[in-house]
Amino acid sequence: MQKLTHIVLDCDPGHDDATAIMLAANNPRIVLDAVTTVAGNQTLPKTTLNACRVLQWIGRTGIPVYAGCPGPFVRDPVIAGDIHGETGLDGPVFPECTKLPEQKHAVLFLIEHLRGSEEPVTVVTTGPMTNLAMALRLAPDISSRIGRIVLMGGSVGNGNVTPAAEFNMLADPEAARICFSSGVPLVMVGLDVTRKVLCYPEIVERMRKIGSCASDLFAALMSHFCKTQKEVFGYDGGPLHDPVTVAYLTDPSVLTLKDCRIEVDTTGGPSYGRTNCDVFGYAKKKPNAKAALDIDASRFWDLIEECFRRYL
Ligand code: BDR
Ligand code: CA
């Protein structure tokens, strides 16, 4: 039997983050040790409340939530209200949230949890990488305790907030640079693959029909997310970026990966936040990451459907 992967999901919910939480919180291959939150799609109080709301909705209130950094290392905070709305999770009508975050700061939790775990923990980041970078700066010894970092962010090709940069990278380029140069094995799930899992209306309908608490929440989330993705990017279906990380940990065959050297541009010019991916090995530098180049979209949607059915 395949060993269970313990993960901490560091996120900024966020519609696609919320789906990643649902996929990780009830998964035969994964133990979700905790959810940590960061400012990104919305402010930290909002992303933290949203993580609690999602866990309460799906009946997983036993999974702890730790709030982390309210802003990036160097640059001014950016949010993605145009996509995720005023609350960060516009669309569903949530009941009053009774689940509370833990008192401990997410960065301190990460350090203690990584140091205390019997086996290495996988850190999945689906927001700006501020918390993890801060933890690595405060406690460099934890790098040997992280099994690997699986992140949604970056792009071999174009960005989505500038021609060069993807949102999670541009939201905190310096933090991303610290993580990419940490020596921890890293899988970059970038826009190159997440733009291939567009949530078309027929997919929303397929999931809605399942009728579990998770698929109901997903359908309500997608009603907002797909509308704003159409307005901002012209997509007929919203790219379901963040859950690709967890789908990959559930079934690695879903992604095609390539070893390469990835460096994050922190020079502050027009390519600020770009992930420069040397997929052809021009620079003759040792690879520090695996970049996702392709995705089996049909398998991905099957994994999402299987997940939603587990909540019946
Ligand atoms: C990333 O940016 C956020 O808006 C999404 O939640 C995702 O993590 C995509 O660029
Ligand atoms: Ca996110």
Side-chain angles (χ1 to χ4, degrees):
M1 213 175 89
Q2 193 181 318
K3 246 178 115 190
L4 292 174
T5 305
H6 281 260
I7 75 168
V8 173
L9 176 53
D10 187 55
C11 58
D12 61 338
H15 295 69
D16 49 341
D17 303 83
T19 312
I21 292 174
M22 295 195 279
L23 187 54
N26 187 358
N27 190 305
R29 305 254 179 271
I30 287 169
V31 182
L32 180 55
D33 292 341
V35 173
T36 53
T37 57
V38 67
N41 284 324
Q42 262 298 350
T43 61
L44 182 69
K46 291 182 184 178
T47 58
T48 306
L49 173 63
N50 289 343
C52 292
R53 279 175 163 158
V54 171
L55 288 167
Q56 180 173 311
W57 185 295
I58 58 174
R60 293 295 186 277
T61 49
I63 297 170
V65 172
Y66 297 87
C69 296
F73 267 61
V74 176
R75 62 162 307 161
D76 292 334
V78 285
I79 57 162
D82 56 341
I83 297 290
H84 300 272
E86 186 56 37
T87 64
L89 271 191
D90 279 13
V93 180
F94 287 98
E96 192 196 337
C97 189
T98 51
K99 176 171 171 59
L100 296 174
E102 308 299 311
Q103 290 295 316
K104 194 175 286 178
H105 194 283
V107 174
L108 300 181
F109 162 76
L110 270 170
I111 293 169
E112 287 173 20
H113 186 62
L114 289 163
R115 282 179 175 161
S117 294
E118 276 175 20
E119 48 193 281
V121 174
T122 296
V123 180
V124 177
T125 66
T126 61
M129 301 184 87
T130 323
N131 288 338
L132 181 55
M134 193 68 84
L136 284 162
R137 273 293 191 252
L138 270 174
D141 59 286
I142 62 169
S143 61
S144 65
R145 306 296 310 149
I146 304 174
R148 55 187 164 160
I149 300 166
V150 180
L151 74 119
M152 189 284 131
S155 176
V156 176
N158 272 1
N160 61 355
V161 271
T162 68
E166 179 278 334
F167 177 80
N168 291 336
M169 298 293 101
L170 188 62
D172 197 343
E174 287 74 18
R177 192 181 178 91
I178 289 169
C179 295
F180 275 85
S181 54
S182 65
V184 178
L186 196 145
V187 177
M188 186 186 97
V189 177
L191 298 173
D192 318 280
V193 292
T194 65
R195 280 178 171 147
K196 292 181 183 168
V197 284
L198 299 180
C199 192
Y200 292 119
E202 53 271 27
I203 291 179
V204 179
E205 210 31 53
R206 169 179 165 192
M207 304 304 167
R208 186 199 311 277
K209 280 204 304 231
I210 296 168
S212 68
C213 58
S215 64
D216 288 351
L217 179 55
F218 178 77
L221 288 168
M222 289 304 114
S223 68
H224 177 88
F225 187 65
C226 294
K227 185 159 66 70
T228 56
Q229 289 284 348
K230 176 79 179 168
E231 286 162 8
V232 177
F233 296 106
Y235 290 132
D236 290 325
L240 205 57
H241 307 286
D242 294 337
V244 176
T245 53
V246 185
Y248 165 70
L249 289 168
T250 314
D251 178 358
S253 76
V254 80
L255 291 180
T256 306
L257 305 177
K258 176 111 178 28
D259 285 312
C260 65
R261 183 85 192 174
I262 302 179
E263 278 166 17
V264 184
D265 188 322
T266 51
T267 55
S271 294
Y272 190 38
R274 174 169 174 74
T275 46
N276 286 302
C277 304
D278 190 6
V279 283
F280 297 107
Y282 300 121
K284 306 260 180 290
K285 287 187 180 168
K286 196 170 164 235
N288 61 341
K290 293 180 189 292
L293 298 186
D294 206 359
I295 183 165
D296 180 344
S298 154
R299 179 72 185 127
F300 172 78
W301 292 118
D302 286 349
L303 288 168
I304 297 289
E305 178 176 349
E306 285 163 23
C307 159
F308 291 160
R309 287 193 185 284
R310 284 194 293 272
Y311 285 93
L312 279 170

